[in-house]
Amino acid sequence: MITRLTRRDFLKTSAAGGVLSAAGAAPAWAQGTRLHFLQWSHFIPAADQVFEEQAKEFGKQAGVEIAIERINQNDIQARLTAAIQSASGPDIVIVANNHALLYENSLVDVTDVAEEIGRKQGGWHDYAKANGVTPTGRWVAVPQFIISWAVTYREDWFKEAGFEYPKTWDDFRKVGRAMKAKGKPFGQAFGHSINDPNNWCYPLVWMWGGMEVARDGKTVTLDSKNTIEAVKFNNVLWKEVFDEGGLAWDDSTNNRAFLSSEISLTGNAPSIYVAARQKFPDVYKGTNHGHFPPGPAGRFYWLPAWNSVVMKYGKNQKVAKDFIRFYMDRARFDRYFETMDTFGIPGTKVYSDHPLWRKDPRTAVFPETLPNARQVGYAGPAGRKATEGLSKYVIVDMFAKAIQGMSPEDAVKWAAGELKKIYAA
């Protein structure tokens, strides 16, 4: 059984949950259990449809009602915080990035589930583990997938203007200036949205050699010449190549702008490409993807991720764990992964050489980003304090303040001050 909930619906769960028997049938005491499942609305809507079908399948087998509620991705963290404060709400939440580390004391230990999945699927990528493993080695989140992210651009427009995809940042400026002069600027979000603004800002700091903290995970090192140079360069890009509405953009604004042929380049997951193939054939034919040009310190990425957490206040923790085992098992996850169509990089290594990555040469760059991905908090470990900095958009706001007129030096000093407050607490 499956029930869709409105944003304001809250289900009160009843009956203790239990594991499925070897035969796949639920024990009698699990009958009548409801699981309230909170997640975001996928940028590949077909993936949500697949998940609903799988939830219905689990519900039939287990005699459980899976009540799925979907809200805007940027509202997930606020809902999770409110649920913890009230000790009521969803049983399972799909949380972004390493947000689970902020709430580790309110989450069920899912080490048994995560390690079982890892054993069956060739082990976890380190990047996936960083989002859900506490400093003591306890799993509080099971990685669902890492969002693949690179640069999406109109190859046809570039060729018409006599350009190839830029291999250096100087070329990036040159091409961007020309495209903006033609009324087809590049587009980048600098608003408070959990993916695209962070996807751009963190790597730019790293590519110029900046870092939030030292390896000790305590000493804030953001206020450096390297970070200042990154902010200065971004200011140049803002004036020369970007659509200047980007300060108010969220993760969907650039998708709409690209699909409506208003911008010629943007950083994004391949959701734009999939949507174009389905509904915008001319955009689809002209679209390709590329890597960031390398900066002075190299090429790096920050990749968003989604992870499953089980709430401690929930009365159905065992059956919630079982449901995670169910939808993360390859019998189900293969179809979910293939439906996402390169949007998501599975956290387990068994998928590294999946044929899907070779299906379309225009999406081949996406799995190539993972080896160059860093987690927030670099060069220290990813953890609660780094997650707090991410949640408060400190790095994004550093760039935004400079765009709005604050000197790069003062913007970096402000951001370093904010991080010092976090790391000193």
Side-chain angles (χ1 to χ4, degrees), residues 97-385:
N97 308 318
N98 55 357
H99 289 179
L101 300 179
L102 281 176
Y103 308 100
E104 60 180 272
N105 294 330
S106 300
L107 304 178
V108 172
D109 188 323
V110 290
T111 303
D112 54 340
V113 180
E115 291 187 349
E116 176 186 325
I117 294 167
R119 284 194 300 271
K120 292 179 178 179
Q121 299 184 22
W124 293 100
H125 289 292
D126 288 343
Y127 194 85
K129 291 176 67 175
N131 289 306
V133 179
T134 69
T136 60
R138 182 171 63 97
W139 288 82
V140 292
V142 178
Q144 191 183 28
F145 62 88
I146 301 161
I147 297 179
S148 56
W149 201 93
V151 179
T152 302
Y153 71 102
R154 286 295 298 264
E155 185 177 44
D156 54 346
W157 290 354
F158 281 24
K159 288 183 176 179
E160 287 173 7
F163 297 115
E164 295 182 350
Y165 182 74
K167 294 181 174 62
T168 68
W169 285 107
D170 284 342
D171 288 342
F172 190 92
R173 287 178 61 188
K174 179 180 178 181
V175 177
R177 283 196 301 264
M179 298 310 296
K180 190 170 184 176
K182 292 176 178 291
K184 305 295 183 184
F186 295 173
Q188 173 55 43
F190 288 93
H192 282 193
S193 195
I194 61 175
N195 292 333
D196 293 341
N198 290 306
N199 279 101
W200 174 267
C201 294
Y202 276 93
L204 205 64
V205 170
W206 298 329
M207 287 189 282
W208 259 254
M211 60 189 71
E212 291 168 86
V213 293
R215 290 189 182 277
D216 63 9
K218 299 176 182 178
T219 308
V220 175
T221 58
L222 185 68
D223 191 357
S224 68
K225 179 181 178 181
N226 304 72
T227 307
I228 292 169
E229 289 303 314
V231 174
K232 286 181 177 178
F233 183 72
N234 188 71
N235 277 359
V236 171
L237 294 182
W238 176 258
K239 295 173 183 177
E240 293 185 0
V241 311
F242 284 140
D243 182 312
E244 295 181 27
L247 284 170
W249 286 12
D250 63 15
D251 287 339
S252 60
T253 311
N254 62 326
N255 293 48
R256 293 193 297 269
F258 194 95
L259 291 170
S260 60
S261 297
E262 296 172 10
I263 58 176
S264 57
L265 178 149
T266 190
N268 211 70
S271 50
I272 289 176
Y273 189 62
V274 173
R277 184 172 60 217
Q278 295 170 347
K279 298 180 179 180
F280 303 90
D282 291 340
V283 176
Y284 171 68
K285 291 176 185 176
T287 297
N288 206 339
H289 303 94
H291 280 293
F292 275 142
R299 177 191 288 126
F300 304 103
Y301 291 93
W302 176 78
L303 301 178
W306 290 106
N307 311 275
S308 306
V309 301
V310 178
M311 307 308 300
K312 270 188 179 179
Y313 60 67
K315 298 178 182 179
N316 304 299
Q317 296 173 14
K318 291 182 180 179
V319 73
K321 283 187 172 184
D322 248 4
F323 185 36
I324 295 173
R325 285 187 176 95
F326 181 84
Y327 62 74
M328 290 302 300
D329 188 80
R330 289 202 66 183
R332 264 73 54 182
F333 196 77
D334 275 11
R335 185 178 170 217
Y336 186 72
F337 164 61
E338 290 164 5
T339 302
M340 287 193 290
D341 196 1
T342 71
F343 179 90
I345 303 172
T348 53
K349 297 177 181 179
V350 72
Y351 289 91
S352 298
D353 196 37
H354 194 284
L356 180 64
W357 298 121
R358 301 186 296 275
K359 183 179 179 180
D360 184 345
R362 288 188 286 179
T363 58
V365 301
F366 288 105
E368 295 172 355
T369 60
L370 188 56
N372 294 316
R374 288 176 170 174
Q375 190 45 275
V376 297
Y378 185 85
R384 186 186 182 101
K385 295 182 185 297

Side-chain angles (χ1 to χ4, degrees), residues 353-420:
D353 196 37
H354 194 284
L356 180 64
W357 298 121
R358 301 186 296 275
K359 183 179 179 180
D360 184 345
R362 288 188 286 179
T363 58
V365 301
F366 288 105
E368 295 172 355
T369 60
L370 188 56
N372 294 316
R374 288 176 170 174
Q375 190 45 275
V376 297
Y378 185 85
R384 186 186 182 101
K385 295 182 185 297
T387 308
E388 186 176 344
L390 173 69
S391 298
K392 291 181 175 178
Y393 294 98
V394 172
I395 301 300
V396 172
D397 285 350
M398 176 180 71
F399 284 97
K401 285 178 181 294
I403 288 171
Q404 292 170 313
M406 184 181 285
S407 73
E409 291 82 1
D410 286 344
V412 173
K413 190 177 297 293
W414 168 84
E418 293 302 299
L419 291 181
K420 286 176 182 177

